Amino acid sequence: MPGTHGAVSKLIKVLSTWLPSLRTRFVLLVAGLFLALSVVMIMVASYLDLRDEEQRVVSDARAIGATVSRLAVPHLTNHHYLILEQELESIAGSGVVELAQVHDPARAVTIDSDPDTSYFDEMDQHPLITLSLQTGLDQIRQTGDRIEIALPVRETADSPVLGVALVSVKRLQANGMLFAIWGRNIVITLVLLIFCVPVTFHFAENFVRPIKALTQTAHTVSAGNFDAPFPVERTDEIGVLARAYRDMVGTIRNNMARIHELAYVDPVTRLPNRESFRQHFNSNMQLADGTPVRMAVLFIDLDRFKRVNDSYGHDHGDALLKEVAARLQRLLNSSDKVAAGKTAFSPLVARLGGDEFAIVLPAEKPMSNVYTLADQLVQCVEQPLEINGLTMAVGASIGVST
């Protein structure tokens, strides 16, 4: 029903607000299902136990009636009513039977177990006795507080009816029986629940632990560590989710690396580009305490590079730029150009665009080392280059600013 579905959804939403822990929800769900099933089990068990108890009482009443019927055969045959009366009183004295009667239709005499009456007294004939005499069959009637059974008295199964034996047995009150049944089943349910809750907590913890690990990994990834391990060794749904998450993070990592490369790396020479050079320059202008850093910027422009592009094509021009970039990088990395361990920051060579390169490095007085580096840069660029089997040569113009 739509209304019921809406109410259930609202209840789940409220419980989710009150119980943010997945483990707590899981335990409460299992406990709720267990209690619901226990209630159903108690109701079904109560019905079955009550029915079995009723059948047992009826069976006992029938057995007692059959016993009374067998006892009555010789007494009715010989008309020993007094002895039969004493035996009926003895049977009723056991407390199980409320009333026992034997009717002799031949003399219209009714012998019963009541000590206050006698077979000489006139008594109204019980309706079940009348029906049993008329039909020759067993008759049973169940009322709110008793079960009455009338059985024909015969010497054998084929003999004529000598009389009728009537037995009235107290019927157990349903309320008392139900309370006893419910009490027993409730105790069993509570014992099982006490055992079930810790076990459920244990399984819930095992269920939630990989989710916690996956969540921790997600927080680590969100903090920038894309190499965090994922629990991908599991074969269940959590493992599938972890592998999907790992693949997604791998794709994001590759995309971010690609974006970083496009943003900060020159695609031809693989040197840092203009933006990378700008950030490196700005970040090293002063120390952490605010002290300014003396630095030198060398701007290099290739001469006659346009002629190479026009004569041999852009592929040869790109190959020439790569070779020049490699020469500049090797020269800058030479250990005798910058004193190791004494620089405020690492030197950087970048391609600004076209045939323009720039170098930034610390500048300590005297400036002779910077001027020497500038001369060496021009010389290394002007050395002939072998490009795709062709020998080429370009010049370089350089400017220095400190």
Side-chain angles (χ1 to χ4, degrees):
M1 297 175 62
T4 304
H5 178 73
V8 172
S9 301
K10 186 176 181 180
L11 178 61
I12 293 175
K13 184 177 180 180
V14 172
L15 290 177
S16 300
T17 304
W18 290 350
L19 305 171
S21 172
L22 183 62
R23 182 182 63 178
T24 304
R25 293 188 212 170
F26 178 78
V27 172
L28 289 180
L29 174 63
V30 173
L33 290 176
F34 179 82
L35 289 176
L37 291 176
S38 298
V39 170
V40 174
M41 180 194 71
I42 290 174
M43 299 300 294
V44 173
S46 300
Y47 170 75
L48 295 177
D49 290 348
L50 187 61
R51 190 181 65 177
D52 291 343
E53 189 65 24
E54 290 284 349
Q55 292 177 352
R56 185 188 66 79
V57 173
V58 172
S59 177
D60 291 347
R62 190 180 294 277
I64 295 173
T67 301
V68 172
S69 177
R70 288 194 298 272
L71 288 174
V73 170
H75 299 303
L76 291 182
T77 303
N78 300 315
H79 307 298
H80 294 162
Y81 299 141
L82 183 59
I83 298 175
L84 178 59
E85 185 177 49
Q86 293 174 351
E87 291 179 351
L88 293 180
E89 290 178 2
S90 177
I91 292 173
S94 64
V96 177
V97 177
E98 186 179 23
L99 176 66
Q101 288 183 348
V102 175
H103 180 72
D104 185 356
R107 295 191 177 185
V109 175
T110 300
I111 306 97
D112 65 9
S113 59
D114 188 355
D116 296 332
T117 62
S118 171
Y119 59 87
F120 296 108
D121 299 336
E122 296 237 355
M123 291 188 239
D124 295 334
Q125 188 169 298
H126 197 282
L128 290 184
I129 294 178
T130 304
L131 288 175
S132 184
L133 286 173
Q134 292 174 355
T135 62
L137 302 175
D138 298 350
Q139 302 294 328
I140 183 170
R141 182 174 69 179
Q142 299 185 36
T143 60
D145 56 352
R146 63 175 56 87
I147 298 174
E148 298 172 329
I149 295 180
L151 297 89
V153 178
R154 294 186 176 93
E155 290 186 12
T156 62
D158 299 330
S159 300
V161 175
L162 299 177
V164 175
L166 174 71
V167 174
S168 177
V169 178
K170 291 181 180 179
R171 186 176 184 181
L172 295 177
Q173 295 297 320
N175 292 339
M177 291 179 59
L178 287 176
F179 286 145
I181 294 170
W182 288 350
R184 181 177 66 251
N185 288 313
I186 287 174
V187 171
I188 295 174
T189 301
L190 291 178
V191 172
L192 292 177
L193 186 61
I194 293 173
F195 173 76
C196 175
V197 170
V199 174
T200 304
F201 265 106
H202 174 72
F203 280 102
E205 182 63 28
N206 291 337
F207 175 74
V208 173
R209 187 180 297 115
I211 298 179
K212 289 182 178 178
L214 188 58
T215 303
Q216 183 63 38
T217 302
H219 287 307
T220 304
V221 171
S222 65
N225 182 11
F226 290 96
D227 295 324
F230 288 89
V232 297
E233 69 281 357
R234 300 177 63 94
T235 57
D236 55 10
E237 289 80 359
I238 296 177
V240 174
L241 177 61
R243 286 188 286 274
Y245 203 173
R246 179 199 59 186
D247 296 341
M248 180 186 70
V249 171
T251 302
I252 294 175
R253 180 175 58 242
N254 295 336
N255 291 339
M256 291 187 66
R258 179 61 178 162
I259 291 172
H260 183 274
E261 180 179 331
L262 293 174
Y264 298 106
V265 178
D266 176 63
V268 176
T269 62
R270 312 305 299 171
L271 291 176
N273 61 8
R274 179 189 297 269
E275 178 61 23
S276 181
F277 180 86
R278 184 187 68 80
Q279 292 189 10
H280 186 79
F281 181 88
N282 291 337
S283 63
N284 292 290
M285 288 180 64
Q286 60 185 14
L287 298 177
D289 59 0
T291 304
V293 176
R294 185 176 179 83
M295 56 177 56
V297 176
L298 293 81
F299 184 85
I300 305 168
D301 182 73
L302 301 183
D303 299 333
R304 301 185 300 276
F305 176 71
K306 186 175 182 302
R307 185 182 304 172
V308 174
N309 269 342
D310 294 342
S311 301
Y312 302 106
H314 290 283
D315 291 340
H316 287 72
D318 290 346
L320 186 145
L321 290 174
K322 291 179 183 179
E323 180 60 28
V324 170
R327 290 184 179 185
L328 296 177
Q329 190 69 59
R330 285 195 298 269
L331 182 62
L332 192 64
N333 291 338
S334 299
S335 59
D336 59 339
K337 300 301 181 267
V338 181
K342 297 182 180 180
T343 59
F345 60 91
S346 301
L348 178 74
V349 57
R351 182 192 177 200
L352 302 185
D355 57 355
E356 300 172 351
F357 296 86
I359 297 175
V360 60
L361 71 161
E364 303 291 340
K365 291 183 178 181
M367 296 293 296
S368 58
N369 62 333
V370 176
Y371 300 144
T372 301
L373 177 61
D375 291 337
Q376 292 175 343
L377 290 171
V378 172
Q379 293 174 11
C380 82
V381 171
E382 291 179 344
Q383 294 294 322
L385 301 97
E386 191 76 19
I387 305 297
N388 296 331
L390 299 175
T391 301
M392 303 179 185
V394 292
S397 300
I398 190 168
V400 180
S401 175
T402 58

